[in-house]
Amino acid sequence: MFEESQTAARSLVDRIAGSARAANQATARMLVAVGDLYRLRLREVGDAAYAACDTLDTVSAEVAAALTISTGLARSHVQHALTMHDRLPQVGSVFVAGDIDYFMFQTIVTRINLVLDPEALASVDGQIAAAASRWTTLSKKQVAARVDRIVARVDPDAKRRRKEAFERREIWIADRNDGLSDIGGTLFTTAAHALDKRLNALAATVCEHDPRTTDQRRADAVEAMVVGADRMACRCDRPDCAAGGLTAGPVVIHVIADQATIDGNGSNEGSLVGADGLLAPEVIAEVARTAKLRPLTLPGDAPPEPRYIPSRALAEYVRCRDLTCRFPGCDRPAARTDIDHTVPHAAGGPTQAANLKSLCRLHHLIKTFGGWKDQQLPDGAVIWTSPSGHTYITTPGSALLFPTLCTPTALAAPTKTDGPRGDRNAKMPQRRRTRAQNRAAAVAKERAHNRAMRQKERRETYAFLSGNSPDPDDEPPPF
């Protein structure tokens, strides 16, 4: 019995290891295909490096749609595919064989980013490829340290130095699914303590009968800080409240909710435009007490508007219906998108809800110049056809939560135009500098910083040991 159990366990472990290796191989083959697609598109369209929407953008859009992932992740895949083919072919071969995974490959790519000399890069590539399969049990930091050692021996100026602490400061916000958001970050110590004291000071502006805990008042004090108020509104509801004076002004946000939920009688969740997750009905009812309410006008069978730019009411409806950019894989909030005519206005397309959708600026350019075709249905669904002929369907973000916003609306037939369909005067916006130029400038700056730091360390070492300052181009002493 024991031997049978061991045999079964051994078989399961072999399956696990084999599946992991196969997953590594499949991911590497996916990157190879992504790189091949990029080079194919590059041959088709030529050098569009100065275009605001270049080949990297258009291929990233195709990859995002094919893999149903975000455009940012797809762009990362494209960049890693190009690095594997152009800069790290030997490491790429190890990856294709399944000996390393995508996470290790990404770490390696990051650490060799500053190596420019082809001979140095080939040496680094070969040394890492020879050793990488033995690093599979190491942590990300340990892998990075080993790559750094190889890079430092071959090209000292290319070693990625740890950024100074102050360069890593940040504030992040993560939306939850209960109407709240988490906030965190890293600040200068002085700023962090000043913020702590400011929150305490604002939390103390309410009277002793305020029902909130200290932590709740500190959290609510952020709202007062956002609008620059020097007091919080007390919630004691006592006519003789001793905390009079100014209260925090309103923060402008846009929430979509049913009327019953706003009145406190409904159970449907709501949506904060531009945020992830949903708002609980209790949260909506509480916010609605002091919010400015504006009903959303449903277009129904309304005729087309006479102008290219939709009215405020129509634009609000389109953005509330869509919630995000409608291109496959894009989740940019609709509040930060363009209103696009599916059938171009210059080709007779009406300014009407069934012909309008939200598109972020990048995907608006890709639709106009990137070879994509789109067809919009009366309920807001959009059928996309990629340059390769694949089709994808995106539905409005409100389809599940607020289905009434997706009720089919009228669509007038395109008006006749004298010229060909489309805007003959539309031109691709141009960049001032290409991606390659921006990257070269960033790499040169970091390499110069690394060299300056090495020279400073070398001078300090000589000064300590001999009291003399060496030529900064001399090699360090052999001790």
Side-chain angles (χ1 to χ4, degrees):
M1 180 65 71
F2 177 75
E3 291 182 357
E4 292 179 359
S5 177
Q6 286 296 90
T7 301
R10 187 179 301 110
S11 175
L12 290 173
V13 171
D14 288 342
R15 285 171 53 191
I16 292 170
S19 298
R21 186 180 189 86
N24 295 342
Q25 294 171 331
T27 302
R29 288 197 299 269
M30 180 269 291
L31 289 184
V32 171
V34 168
D36 290 343
L37 177 62
Y38 177 88
R39 285 179 286 276
L40 173 64
R41 295 301 185 213
L42 196 61
R43 290 194 298 270
E44 292 175 346
V45 303
D47 184 10
Y50 282 96
C53 175
D54 58 12
T55 307
L56 178 63
D57 290 322
T58 56
V59 173
S60 297
E62 285 194 79
V63 173
L67 300 180
T68 61
I69 58 177
S70 70
T71 304
L73 181 55
R75 183 178 294 112
S76 175
H77 286 342
V78 177
Q79 291 171 329
H80 284 127
L82 298 180
T83 299
M84 185 168 70
H85 180 274
D86 300 335
R87 290 173 56 80
L88 294 174
Q90 296 181 71
V91 174
S93 297
V94 176
F95 189 12
V96 170
D99 293 336
I100 62 175
D101 60 21
Y102 197 11
F103 298 106
M104 181 183 292
F105 182 74
Q106 290 173 311
T107 301
I108 294 170
V109 169
T110 301
R111 307 312 297 182
I112 60 90
N113 196 40
L114 300 184
V115 182
L116 299 178
D117 180 74
E119 292 185 2
L121 184 59
S123 176
V124 169
D125 183 26
Q127 292 183 54
I128 295 175
S133 61
R134 301 193 298 272
W135 296 345
T136 53
T137 60
L138 302 180
S139 68
K140 180 179 179 179
K141 290 183 178 180
Q142 291 172 324
V143 171
R146 281 160 175 74
V147 175
D148 286 348
R149 291 195 196 103
I150 293 174
V151 171
R153 288 198 300 264
V154 177
D155 186 357
D157 290 341
K159 179 181 177 182
R160 303 303 295 267
R161 293 177 177 266
R162 295 191 176 207
K163 298 291 186 182
E164 289 81 356
F166 68 84
E167 292 184 355
R168 295 198 302 268
R169 62 191 186 278
E170 63 175 349
I171 293 291
W172 54 262
I173 299 174
D175 299 325
R176 302 185 348 177
N177 292 321
D178 54 2
L180 303 175
S181 295
D182 295 326
I183 299 178
T186 302
L187 305 174
F188 288 123
T189 300
T190 52
H193 284 266
L195 174 63
D196 184 62
K197 290 184 177 180
R198 178 63 174 164
L199 293 177
N200 285 335
L202 285 170
T205 60
V206 298
C207 82
E208 61 181 358
H209 301 291
D210 187 284
R212 292 169 292 185
T213 66
T214 300
D215 287 341
Q216 290 172 339
R217 292 199 302 270
R218 279 170 53 88
D220 293 346
V222 175
E223 298 181 20
M225 292 178 61
V226 168
V227 298
D230 59 1
R231 278 184 175 273
M232 292 175 56
C234 186
R235 294 189 180 180
C236 69
D237 294 330
R238 296 166 64 98
D240 59 343
C241 176
L246 298 176
T247 60
V251 176
V252 179
I253 60 175
H254 296 89
V255 175
I256 306 173
D258 294 335
Q259 185 63 50
T261 303
I262 293 174
D263 296 336
N265 302 320
S267 58
N268 290 337
E269 296 172 308
S271 175
L272 174 61
V273 178
D276 297 326
L278 302 175
L279 298 179
E282 296 81 8
V283 173
I284 293 175
E286 175 67 21
V287 172
R289 292 172 52 192
T290 57
K292 179 180 180 180
L293 305 179
R294 186 165 65 238
L296 191 63
T297 301
L298 303 184
D301 295 328
E305 295 185 349
R307 296 177 300 276
Y308 168 75
I309 299 177
S311 65
R312 175 178 174 178
L314 181 55
E316 285 183 345
Y317 165 78
V318 171
R319 289 193 167 101
C320 289
R321 179 198 67 193
D322 293 345
L323 293 182
T324 65
C325 170
R326 296 299 305 284
F327 197 86
C330 187
D331 59 358
R332 179 175 289 273
R336 302 202 300 271
T337 62
D338 300 333
I339 299 295
D340 170 66
H341 285 69
T342 298
V343 176
H345 189 264
T351 302
Q352 205 168 13
N355 190 50
L356 299 177
K357 62 182 178 298
S358 303
L359 282 183
C360 70
R361 184 59 53 86
L362 172 62
H363 290 126
H364 198 166
L365 290 173
I366 286 177
K367 177 216 167 175
T368 304
F369 301 102
W372 285 76
K373 298 179 181 179
D374 54 338
Q375 176 188 356
Q376 186 167 338
L377 304 182
D379 63 355
V382 180
I383 303 172
W384 292 91
T385 304
S386 74
S388 63
H390 292 81
T391 59
Y392 309 94
I393 299 177
T394 64
T395 56
S398 62
L400 292 178
L401 190 60
F402 306 106
T404 55
L405 297 183
C406 299
T407 301
T409 59
L411 177 62
T415 57
K416 294 183 178 180
T417 58
D418 296 332
R421 295 174 66 86
D423 187 351
R424 291 171 292 176
N425 298 319
K427 294 182 179 179
M428 171 68 77
Q430 298 294 297
R431 305 173 186 267
R432 293 185 177 181
R433 298 202 306 181
T434 68
R435 291 182 190 273
Q437 290 171 339
N438 286 332
R439 180 183 180 279
V443 169
K445 181 179 180 180
E446 189 165 352
R447 286 179 61 91
H449 172 74
N450 291 346
R451 182 172 178 79
M453 293 296 294
R454 288 196 304 110
Q455 291 173 349
K456 178 182 177 182
E457 293 167 357
R458 193 175 300 164
R459 286 193 297 269
E460 291 174 348
T461 300
Y462 272 95
F464 176 76
L465 296 175
S466 63
N468 297 318
S469 297
D471 185 329
D473 291 325
D474 288 344
E475 290 299 317
F479 48 80

